[in-house]
Amino acid sequence: MKKALIIVVALFAIGEVYSQVVFGRDQSNQTGGVSINYSSPKEYEIADIEVRGVQFLDNNALISLSGLRVGDKIKVPGDEITTAIKKLWNQGIIGNVSIYASKVEGDKIWLIIELTERPRLTKYIIEGVNKTKQGEIEEKIGLIRGKVLTDVVIKNTELAVQKYMESKGFLNAEIDVFQQNDTILRNSAYLKVVIDQGQKVKIRNIKFDGNDEFTSAKLRSKLKKTGMVPKFSLPTEIIETTAKLIWPPNLINFIKESKEVSKEDMREYMATHVNLNFFKPSKYVKDDYEADKDLLLSFYNSKGYRDAEIVSDTIYDISNKFMNINMTIEEGDKYYFRDISWTGNYIYSDEQLQRILGIEKGDVYDLDLVNKKLNFNPTGVDISSLYMDDGYLFFSITPVEVGVAQDSIDLEMRIYEGAQATINKVLISGNDKTNDHVILRELRTRPGDKFSRADLIRTQRELSQLGYFDPEQVNPNVVPNPVNETADIEWQLVERSNDQIELSGGWGGAFGFVGTFGVSFNNFSVRNITKPEHWRGLPVGDGQSLSLRFQANGRTFQSYSFSFVEPWLGGRNPNSFGLSYSKSIQRSINRFTNETLGWLKVTGISSSLGRRVKWPDDFFTVSTGISYQRYDLFQFNSRSLGFQTGDANSVTFNTSIGRSSVSQPMYPRNGSSISLAASFTPPYSLWRNLDYENATAQERFKWLEYHKWNFDSKYYLTLAGKLVLAARAHFGYIGSYTSKADVGPFERFQLGGDGLTGQNFLLGTDVVGLRGYPNNSITPFDRENNIEGGTLFNKYVMEIRYPISLAQSATIYALTFVEGGNNWDRFAEFNPYNIKKSAGVGLRIFMPAFGLMGIDWAYGFDRVPGSLQNAGPQFHFSIGQQIR
């Protein structure tokens, strides 16, 4: 007892001696201090605070974080210094901190805060994985150079990498994060992330227990990410000729008897009798597995088993590469709907609501189906839409089970209709370039109008179609106010540039300059041209389109074009006005003497007026216009046009009617587009004093006479998630009014390839693509008139598309397709079943500054006219959004 007392007294004495020298400071690192008696606390006024040891941090900010202020009175010893040290340490940016007194005079004290900063990150290195994974890990960890390296940063980095590796199936990956001092920069360090990914852990087998109503194969097929197992059929001949080489006879008999065999049955049999893992296992990802369990229960619920539950599931390793899952299910009883009653409904009768619900007494009980029919069914036919399209924004409906008798359930639909809501305020945000009036004129949700969910969805589509905003981020934020029975709507938009530039060039030797220059301003403003103060780099914001383009291939080809479109002429109604002008020349050049042998010049001007109409519905547009084209030929024999020298004139009256409900322009997921366009020249043969039968081609075609029809249809359907089916059909026909005045050599169809004119510069021709065949290769020839080009074509396309990126900077999607088409010289030869078929894959990239670009690989299954073999594989490049 005495020894213990002596030790305590000694320790107290030692502590008092140290406390007289310095406080808040390690004695081993002491560089200064004053004598302070810690055994007798005294109050001091802070005369000054000095910060030492910092390089990047702000001294004043550190003093402020400490909570100490000049003029404050503190007790020494006391809690103020301890609290200040804790506050600085808790910031996580300090490696070591101490506070001591440099001077004491009377009741005033001078303090010094001495600290060391944690190092800052200069770089990080990831080892042990390939470059693809390195890039993905960099996105996940989000490390920024210059960031202070705290313990939390290092730990979060390790956890983020671990989570990423687990998402890839590497459950046993070992992650080590090392901090290394940077010898080049002071107080800096870099991180080395070393990954030993080990073996990818996969699920070898999933066994179910308690599943009496559904087979294990059926249940596994509902685990979309963990164990999706489709069934397959094995023909008897294959079983007898190949399977018996590796399978025992009893397995062959088993397959023969069942005919249709699931992978689950096969796996279980093989594991028992042959010990061979014949099928590719799924990787294990915890989040996916948990989501799959919910899907499994949803499947049971949809089949009437409302009480189904997963009693237990066991996950265990069978090696460092494989794991098994044992799942025990309690299915419970199967239930059916009995009586469905409605309460609280005054606007619509029970019969009306029951008809939309579409569930009858005796149907299998499925609460998910009920909720879909009550709330926002993708088809748009549901109870909520019925009310909300009529202004009942505050409407709610709750299905309640009011009776359970044996295997039957009674439901009561409890409805609160509320009052009809009117729109109070409509706000717009995010339109940095586009003027408000351009957006407001597209809105179908205006102040004072009755709220309508259908109008909200339609406005969202219209704003997405403009092309000025990211269609993935057109967001209507509805703020209801039940007290005033109103709602405010804020349209949250994200502006994106849709102006495009096309620039390429080079020197073609004897041909001279070869290149293209083009600009398209798709949100132009004519009225602001003379108001530079309203420019945003350019006069933009009024939704007008202005395009200028120049293209040249030396002296062989030059083309100039200009177009302008005003979508709201006058600004009050959606009446569009378009004007365009183009001039092109194609020359035949002697490549040895560089002498011009002949040419074809084409000059055209056109104007049009369009209008949105509300009948049969308000998705329709009608357009009319007039255009003039002049074709000037001089000894031009590069193509068969019926004559080589002379001129031809075409004056056409153009009209079109179309309907488009496509969701968005770049990656539409649903909707359709259909249009019929027709062009008519005057029937000159009725009044021209010309003997058409004996006249030369130059005389007959001086004034072109024809009528031309084009039909185009597109349909988009979401198959699953972002996977989209895009189907198209196209038809074109050009004919004459009378038998004596034939269709001229211009505006005929040329089919095949990527749909671009390519290096042939087919002026005066309607070029239609057909992947899998060389450009313009499917082109009939009129031997009687020495004219190439078809007067009738059809084309069918079916694509499956999947997006790689829908980001604002670039829309990228992959596709696979089948298509077919053909081209005929005369209507009598037309056969819609005689088509040239092809299939292939492709990629599309849309960048706002450069437009849409694409590449396709296609295989043509049929012969090109004039060839003895199939077209075979072809690569195609495309630029721009092609109509056909």
Side-chain angles (χ1 to χ4, degrees):
M1 184 68 180
K2 290 182 178 180
K3 289 182 178 180
L5 183 59
I6 292 171
I7 293 173
V8 171
V9 172
L11 289 175
F12 181 82
I14 293 171
E16 186 176 357
V17 171
Y18 280 146
S19 66
Q20 290 176 345
V21 178
V22 67
F23 60 91
R25 184 171 175 78
D26 186 351
Q27 295 303 301
S28 64
N29 193 30
Q30 182 182 175
T31 60
V34 296
S35 177
I36 296 177
N37 190 344
Y38 270 50
S39 63
S40 178
K42 182 180 178 182
E43 188 174 70
Y44 295 93
E45 180 183 343
I46 301 176
D48 185 47
I49 303 174
E50 180 184 352
V51 178
R52 294 179 182 176
V54 297
Q55 180 181 0
F56 300 100
L57 301 176
D58 183 74
N59 291 348
N60 293 328
L62 290 170
I63 295 173
S64 177
L65 289 173
S66 72
L68 299 175
R69 302 287 188 275
V70 174
D72 287 355
K73 292 184 178 181
I74 62 173
K75 283 187 177 182
V76 179
D79 295 335
E80 292 88 346
I81 299 299
T82 304
T83 302
I85 291 175
K86 288 181 178 179
K87 286 182 178 180
L88 290 171
W89 180 259
N90 290 337
Q91 298 303 313
I93 58 176
I94 306 300
N96 190 21
V97 58
S98 60
I99 302 176
Y100 64 91
S102 62
K103 185 169 62 171
V104 173
E105 291 183 357
D107 63 347
K108 295 194 176 184
I109 190 169
W110 281 255
L111 298 180
I112 294 178
I113 301 176
E114 183 161 339
L115 50 82
T116 58
E117 299 180 47
R118 287 185 180 268
R120 293 178 178 268
L121 180 67
T122 56
K123 63 180 179 179
Y124 51 90
I125 301 171
I126 301 173
E127 297 179 353
V129 293
N130 58 36
K131 289 186 177 180
T132 301
K133 286 190 175 72
Q134 287 178 13
E136 293 175 348
I137 290 173
E138 288 176 2
E139 293 181 2
K140 296 294 183 182
I141 60 180
L143 288 176
I144 302 173
R145 289 167 178 81
K147 189 181 186 71
V148 177
L149 280 177
T150 65
D151 295 337
V152 174
V153 169
I154 295 174
K155 188 61 178 178
N156 287 343
T157 299
E158 182 181 341
L159 293 175
V161 176
Q162 187 74 50
K163 186 175 181 180
Y164 169 79
M165 296 306 296
E166 289 177 356
S167 72
K168 296 298 182 181
F170 297 96
L171 303 186
N172 300 321
E174 295 184 3
I175 315 298
D176 292 309
V177 181
F178 302 100
Q179 178 179 320
Q180 305 285 342
N181 291 330
D182 194 320
T183 57
I184 299 176
L185 297 175
R186 183 186 169 200
N187 198 35
S188 298
Y190 66 91
L191 291 184
K192 180 185 288 187
V193 181
V194 181
I195 303 171
D196 181 5
Q197 60 184 18
Q199 295 285 346
K200 182 178 287 188
V201 180
K202 296 184 178 181
I203 302 169
R204 186 163 192 171
N205 197 9
I206 301 178
K207 294 183 179 180
F208 296 91
D209 186 33
N211 53 314
D212 300 325
E213 296 298 327
F214 303 100
T215 65
S216 296
K218 184 71 172 179
L219 298 183
R220 187 181 285 105
S221 71
K222 301 305 173 183
L223 306 177
K224 300 300 183 183
K225 297 288 184 67
T226 308
M228 180 176 168
V229 185
K231 289 186 176 181
F232 65 97
S233 298
L234 295 176
T236 304
E237 310 86 68
I238 296 179
I239 297 171
E240 293 178 344
T241 58
T242 61
K244 66 183 180 181
L245 298 177
I246 59 172
W247 294 341
N250 52 351
L251 176 60
I252 298 174
N253 293 332
F254 169 74
I255 296 174
K256 279 185 175 182
E257 292 173 2
S258 60
K259 294 295 183 182
E260 190 174 271
V261 185
S262 71
K263 287 185 179 180
E264 167 67 18
D265 298 331
M266 291 292 296
R267 181 182 287 110
E268 290 180 356
Y269 191 94
M270 298 295 279
T272 305
H273 295 84
V274 186
N275 194 26
L276 175 65
N277 186 35
F278 199 73
F279 304 100
K280 182 180 179 181
S282 302
K283 68 179 180 181
Y284 175 80
V285 178
K286 183 179 179 180
D287 292 343
D288 292 343
Y289 175 61
E290 294 298 328
D292 276 351
K293 289 197 296 184
D294 292 338
L295 289 176
L296 184 61
L297 292 179
S298 296
F299 166 72
Y300 266 103
N301 297 156
S302 68
K303 299 301 180 181
Y305 296 91
R306 65 189 281 272
D307 300 328
E309 61 177 323
I310 298 174
V311 179
S312 65
D313 61 315
T314 305
I315 302 171
Y316 58 95
D317 295 333
I318 57 176
S319 70
N320 62 343
K321 292 178 58 178
F322 294 103
M323 63 167 39
N324 283 348
I325 298 176
N326 292 343
M327 194 177 295
T328 302
I329 297 174
E330 188 174 302
E331 295 178 328
D333 297 328
K334 187 174 184 177
Y335 292 88
Y336 301 87
F337 288 105
R338 191 170 64 175
D339 295 329
I340 299 177
S341 58
W342 305 81
T343 63
N345 53 307
Y346 302 100
I347 307 300
Y348 299 101
S349 65
D350 292 0
E351 292 75 15
Q352 289 175 299
L353 299 177
Q354 186 64 42
R355 189 162 51 249
I356 294 176
L357 185 65
I359 296 176
E360 302 294 336
K361 183 176 183 179
D363 288 351
V364 173
Y365 184 80
D366 183 359
L367 196 56
D368 284 343
L369 176 62
V370 172
N371 288 325
K372 287 180 181 179
K373 292 297 185 74
L374 297 182
N375 302 293
F376 308 131
N377 191 7
T379 62
V381 181
D382 57 76
I383 306 296
S384 292
S385 296
L386 179 69
Y387 275 92
M388 289 196 177
D389 287 347
D390 197 26
Y392 292 92
L393 174 62
F394 313 111
F395 161 86
S396 65
I397 181 169
T398 305
V400 180
E401 295 180 0
V402 294
V404 179
Q406 295 180 346
D407 63 348
S408 299
I409 296 177
D410 296 335
L411 276 186
E412 182 177 87
M413 304 296 184
R414 297 177 181 175
I415 296 174
Y416 171 73
E417 294 179 332
Q420 284 182 313
T422 56
I423 300 173
N424 180 31
K425 296 179 182 178
V426 177
L427 308 173
I428 303 170
S429 63
N431 55 318
D432 301 324
K433 293 198 308 182
T434 306
N435 295 324
D436 287 352
H437 72 271
V438 174
I439 302 168
L440 291 172
R441 67 194 186 190
E442 300 291 344
L443 298 186
R444 295 165 185 258
T445 55
R446 300 177 181 273
D449 289 351
K450 181 174 64 177
F451 177 85
S452 170
R453 175 175 171 266
D455 289 343
L456 204 69
I457 295 173
R458 180 62 186 276
T459 299
Q460 188 175 21
R461 173 194 175 274
E462 297 299 327
L463 294 178
S464 298
Q465 284 284 352
L466 289 176
Y468 313 145
F469 312 105
D470 183 359
E472 302 296 325
Q473 300 187 67
V474 177
N475 179 41
N477 180 31
V478 180
V479 182
N481 188 339
V483 176
N484 298 330
E485 299 177 355
T486 61
D488 296 337
I489 301 175
E490 179 187 8
W491 287 99
Q492 299 172 343
L493 309 171
V494 176
E495 195 102 40
R496 76 172 184 185
S497 174
N498 63 342
D499 296 333
Q500 298 169 11
I501 184 168
E502 184 180 1
L503 184 62
S504 63
W507 188 259
F511 293 98
F513 173 78
V514 177
T516 301
F517 173 75
V519 290
S520 296
F521 305 115
N522 296 310
N523 194 2
F524 198 70
S525 175
V526 172
R527 67 189 178 95
N528 285 335
I529 291 179
T530 59
K531 302 175 182 177
E533 66 275 11
H534 293 155
W535 289 22
R536 298 177 183 92
L538 289 169
V540 297
D542 282 345
Q544 299 158 348
S545 297
L546 177 67
S547 297
L548 301 168
R549 193 171 189 269
F550 164 73
Q551 184 179 7
N553 187 16
R555 295 177 55 235
T556 303
F557 178 84
Q558 292 97 40
S559 177
Y560 315 85
S561 63
F562 160 85
S563 67
F564 174 79
V565 177
E566 166 57 77
W568 283 67
L569 186 63
R572 294 181 177 273
N573 296 303
N575 301 325
S576 63
F577 168 74
L579 182 66
S580 66
Y581 171 82
S582 64
K583 183 177 181 63
S584 303
I585 180 169
Q586 182 179 350
R587 297 183 179 90
S588 299
I589 306 292
N590 187 321
R591 62 176 182 172
F592 299 106
T593 64
N594 203 27
E595 178 185 359
T596 300
L597 304 177
W599 68 70
L600 167 61
K601 298 179 182 178
V602 180
T603 305
I605 186 170
S606 66
S607 65
S608 63
L609 286 172
R611 180 176 178 82
R612 300 180 195 176
V613 294
K614 296 184 178 181
W615 187 90
D617 62 31
D618 61 356
F619 287 104
F620 277 84
T621 58
V622 175
S623 176
T624 57
I626 185 171
S627 64
Y628 170 72
Q629 295 269 77
R630 177 178 173 84
Y631 306 91
D632 185 7
L633 290 79
F634 175 74
Q635 296 180 1
F636 186 75
N637 57 7
S638 297
R639 298 208 331 259
S640 299
L641 297 175
F643 67 103
Q644 297 182 0
T645 299
D647 61 79
N649 300 273
S650 173
V651 178
T652 57
F653 298 92
N654 313 305
T655 184
S656 66
I657 182 170
R659 182 187 187 275
S660 177
S661 60
V662 176
S663 58
Q664 57 171 274
M666 282 302 103
Y667 190 77
R669 292 181 174 86
N670 53 69
S672 63
S673 173
I674 186 170
S675 67
L676 176 64
S679 300
F680 306 92
T681 67
Y684 299 107
S685 59
L686 296 181
W687 58 78
R688 284 187 71 189
N689 187 19
L690 180 66
D691 182 1
Y692 278 87
E693 185 174 350
N694 298 314
T696 64
Q698 178 181 349
E699 293 173 327
R700 294 201 312 272
F701 300 139
K702 185 174 183 62
W703 291 96
L704 297 174
E705 180 177 328
Y706 63 86
H707 54 91
K708 185 176 182 180
W709 305 79
N710 277 301
F711 173 80
D712 303 286
S713 64
K714 302 176 183 179
Y715 176 73
Y716 302 95
L717 175 67
T718 299
L719 299 177
K722 297 178 181 179
L723 191 68
V724 173
L725 168 68
R728 294 185 282 132
H730 308 280
F731 175 85
Y733 174 67
I734 181 170
S736 58
Y737 297 113
T738 65
S739 57
K740 67 177 182 178
D742 293 334
V743 175
F746 302 105
E747 299 304 318
R748 292 185 176 228
F749 304 107
Q750 302 225 14
L751 189 68
D754 48 37
L756 303 176
T757 56
Q759 298 302 312
N760 295 321
F761 304 112
L762 301 175
L763 298 178
T765 303
D766 197 339
V767 178
V768 181
L770 185 65
R771 291 168 288 188
Y773 297 87
N775 283 354
N776 316 313
S777 59
I778 305 175
T779 302
F781 185 71
D782 182 355
R783 298 186 179 278
E784 180 180 347
N785 296 302
N786 191 32
I787 296 174
E788 63 181 23
T791 62
L792 179 68
F793 88 93
N794 67 349
K795 176 183 173 182
Y796 314 101
V797 183
M798 185 171 292
E799 294 180 348
I800 302 294
R801 301 175 175 179
Y802 189 80
I804 299 172
S805 169
L806 295 176
Q808 182 180 357
S809 57
T811 298
I812 306 173
Y813 62 88
L815 58 92
T816 180
F817 64 87
V818 292
E819 68 183 47
N822 210 343
N823 195 5
W824 295 270
D825 178 46
R826 300 181 184 279
F827 188 81
E829 302 170 356
F830 174 63
N831 180 359
Y833 302 104
N834 178 21
I835 60 175
K836 308 293 184 181
K837 301 173 290 295
S838 66
V841 295
L843 184 72
R844 295 292 182 273
I845 302 175
F846 173 80
M847 292 185 290
F850 301 102
L852 185 66
M853 298 172 287
I855 181 172
D856 296 287
W857 178 90
Y859 189 91
F861 297 105
D862 297 293
R863 292 187 299 110
V864 175
S867 175
L868 299 178
Q869 59 185 4
N870 294 342
Q874 306 279 334
F875 275 102
H876 303 285
F877 298 91
S878 60
I879 301 174
Q881 188 78 277
Q882 296 174 312
I883 299 176
R884 303 178 185 92

